[in-house]
Amino acid sequence: MISKVLRALLVIMVALPIVTGCGAPQEKPAELPESIVVGSLEPLTGAHAVFGAEAKTGMEIAIQHINEAGGIESLGGLPLELAVEDCGEDADSAKLGAESLISKHDPVAILGLYISRLTVAASEVTEREKVILVADALVDDVTGMGRQYLFRPAPKASQHGASAVQFVLEASEKAGVPIEQLAIVNEDSSFGRSNAIGAMNAALDNGVTVVYQKEYPYDISDASAIVGEIAAAEADAVISCPYFTDGIIFANTFEEMSSVPKFIAGMGACGYTDPESIEALGELADYYANTYSYNPAKDTAQNKKFVEAFTAETGHMPTEGAGMNYYAMWVLKEALELSGELFPDDPLNPDNLRQAFLQLDLTSGPAVDTYPGDHIAFTETGDNPDAKAIILQVLDGEPKVVWPFEDAEAEAVFPRPDADY
């Protein structure tokens, strides 16, 4: 009888889970991969390929630099690996790109998309699959949809619009040239509209009259009517949000109609001062300005290292998309490091990584050293409330940082010396 009881007790003991001193089951740490896959989802074909290709290059250089610096140290030095997919130029192709990237490569996070409407579409997939999306799209609503796994380090579009107005007003005060009436024009997407709203609010806050406002089709082929209306409204300066082709059309039309105002400031970083626009416009590019979500002139060793590597690769300074994705990759690196410290048993779990993003509080390191600001942290919506935009102006064919004035590498030329009124 005793032997039967002992045998029964032994069976029960073998069947019970191993427990810790506090009585909880002991969890087995998640098995880590040999490398951490990060997805690149950018427009590599179609109308916006010029932006996507250089954004991808920014990611590639960031991963190279991160791996050379020791990978993710809290995870034993795990290296990052980039998996690339084309998101095309419409919502359907963006969704398919996200689904393909996730099913083929199982990335811990995805960077990119650049175009806001593509970001909105692809984020439906990343949200459903619980994949962190670090977006480089600027439209305010991108982080207003309640997405739990979406983060945006860069300044949102309305900040770009407000920054363009603030620059014009500060430059006018510094030069002693009054700017009392503004014209605001933008292409007709949510991106252009978000920029314009930011510009409009900044003008109202500063007591400046908006005498003309126009939203035009992004594929506009003739801007003469709009340029004529701006001149008739007697706007002192124009705040403009183009993409690429429309920016070239407007610049040529201002010149052809001899209707160049005191200043033309771009917002949204998609025209006038990027290398392709400068090449297309030639001498006409001079004196145009635009906002930027990245400061290529930031005086840090890490930023200089990136600029040197990107210039060697492409032959020109980093574009906004390249800069945004370079520092975004470093932000992801910091989140992975923190997740490894906070959740050593399962650091790549998307909910744990999301918590790490929300607990980031960066004031130094490579991410901040390449960021157009001094602090990176995220709200529950996924935005950084301390994000900033800078201003580039084309001077003698080269884009130079001219604002904020304390960060400038060159003196802004204001007003335009070729102004007609």
Side-chain angles (χ1 to χ4, degrees):
M1 175 69 69
I2 294 175
S3 63
K4 289 182 178 180
V5 172
L6 288 174
R7 284 197 296 271
L9 287 172
L10 286 171
V11 169
I12 292 171
M13 290 175 66
V14 171
L16 286 173
I18 298 173
V19 296
T20 64
C22 63
Q26 194 174 49
E27 293 184 3
K28 179 183 176 181
E31 186 175 342
L32 294 175
E34 293 184 0
S35 63
I36 298 174
V37 177
V38 180
S40 167
L41 187 60
E42 290 282 0
L44 301 177
T45 56
H48 309 301
V50 64
F51 305 120
E54 298 201 339
K56 179 175 74 72
T57 300
M59 296 181 207
E60 291 168 342
I61 294 173
I63 283 184
Q64 177 187 340
H65 289 173
I66 289 168
N67 290 343
E68 289 173 351
I72 309 303
E73 295 178 18
S74 70
L75 302 182
L78 278 183
L80 300 184
E81 175 187 346
L82 195 67
V84 177
E85 193 77 35
D86 180 14
C87 71
E89 57 182 341
D90 60 43
D92 289 338
S93 63
K95 287 182 182 179
L96 289 173
E99 289 169 349
S100 175
L101 192 53
I102 293 170
S103 65
K104 290 178 183 176
H105 303 285
D106 191 25
V108 69
I110 292 174
L111 272 63
L113 289 155
Y114 200 77
I115 307 302
S116 296
R117 67 179 180 276
L118 306 185
T119 306
V120 171
S123 67
E124 293 180 16
V125 178
T126 55
E127 194 74 8
R128 183 186 70 223
E129 301 297 328
K130 290 189 172 184
V131 175
I132 297 292
L133 175 58
V134 187
D136 57 3
L138 303 181
V139 170
D140 292 33
D141 289 348
V142 164
T143 50
M145 302 179 293
R147 302 284 195 250
Q148 297 295 300
Y149 301 93
L150 189 153
F151 295 91
R152 172 172 54 196
K156 53 192 177 184
S158 61
Q159 290 175 276
H160 278 260
S163 295
V165 171
Q166 197 63 42
F167 160 63
V168 167
L169 297 181
E170 289 183 16
S172 71
E173 182 178 2
K174 189 175 182 181
V177 178
I179 297 292
E180 298 175 346
Q181 300 188 144
L182 291 179
I184 298 175
V185 294
N186 62 279
E187 52 80 35
D188 62 346
S189 71
S190 56
F191 168 73
R193 202 165 299 127
S194 290
N195 275 277
I197 289 171
M200 184 75 71
N201 288 336
L204 293 173
D205 289 344
N206 285 278
V208 180
T209 302
V210 177
V211 293
Y212 182 81
Q213 194 277 325
K214 185 75 171 183
E215 188 169 278
Y216 60 84
Y218 79 95
D219 57 352
I220 189 172
S221 59
D222 183 356
S224 57
I226 295 176
V227 169
E229 289 166 357
I230 290 172
E234 299 183 345
D236 296 316
V238 175
I239 310 296
S240 164
C241 181
Y243 261 118
F244 174 68
T245 303
D246 50 333
I248 294 168
I249 289 171
F250 270 96
N252 281 314
T253 306
F254 280 119
E255 174 70 15
E256 290 165 2
M257 294 181 64
S258 298
S259 295
V260 180
K262 292 178 183 177
F263 205 79
I264 302 168
M267 52 182 169
C270 282
Y272 299 136
T273 63
D274 59 282
E276 288 76 17
S277 293
I278 294 171
E279 181 179 358
L281 287 171
E283 293 182 358
L284 282 185
D286 270 355
Y287 315 122
Y288 276 89
N290 211 329
T291 57
Y292 231 49
S293 299
Y294 162 69
N295 183 354
K298 191 166 187 178
D299 190 15
T300 65
Q302 189 69 43
N303 196 47
K304 290 176 180 177
K305 181 179 180 179
F306 169 53
V307 171
E308 182 180 350
F310 189 89
T311 303
E313 178 81 14
T314 65
H316 57 77
M317 63 164 240
T319 56
E320 187 196 43
M324 282 195 292
N325 282 285
Y326 184 83
Y327 63 66
M329 193 68 76
W330 278 101
V331 171
L332 173 61
K333 190 262 191 193
E334 295 287 0
L336 286 165
E337 293 283 8
L338 185 56
S339 189
E341 295 168 8
L342 297 175
F343 310 104
D345 290 337
D346 199 3
L348 303 184
N349 179 293
D351 292 306
N352 292 342
L353 185 54
R354 175 179 180 271
Q355 286 303 315
F357 265 93
L358 291 172
Q359 293 187 47
L360 284 178
D361 187 13
L362 305 177
T363 56
S364 62
V368 173
D369 287 346
T370 52
Y371 190 69
D374 300 316
H375 185 214
I376 301 174
F378 294 99
T379 64
E380 285 286 340
T381 63
D383 273 317
N384 176 17
D386 294 324
K388 296 178 181 178
I390 61 99
I391 303 288
L392 292 176
Q393 186 180 25
V394 182
L395 302 172
D396 294 326
E398 295 291 332
K400 299 291 184 180
V401 175
V402 296
W403 186 88
F405 296 135
E406 62 270 20
D407 297 327
E409 61 177 332
E411 184 81 15
V413 174
F414 191 100
R416 294 178 62 102
D418 58 348
D420 293 303
Y421 64 93

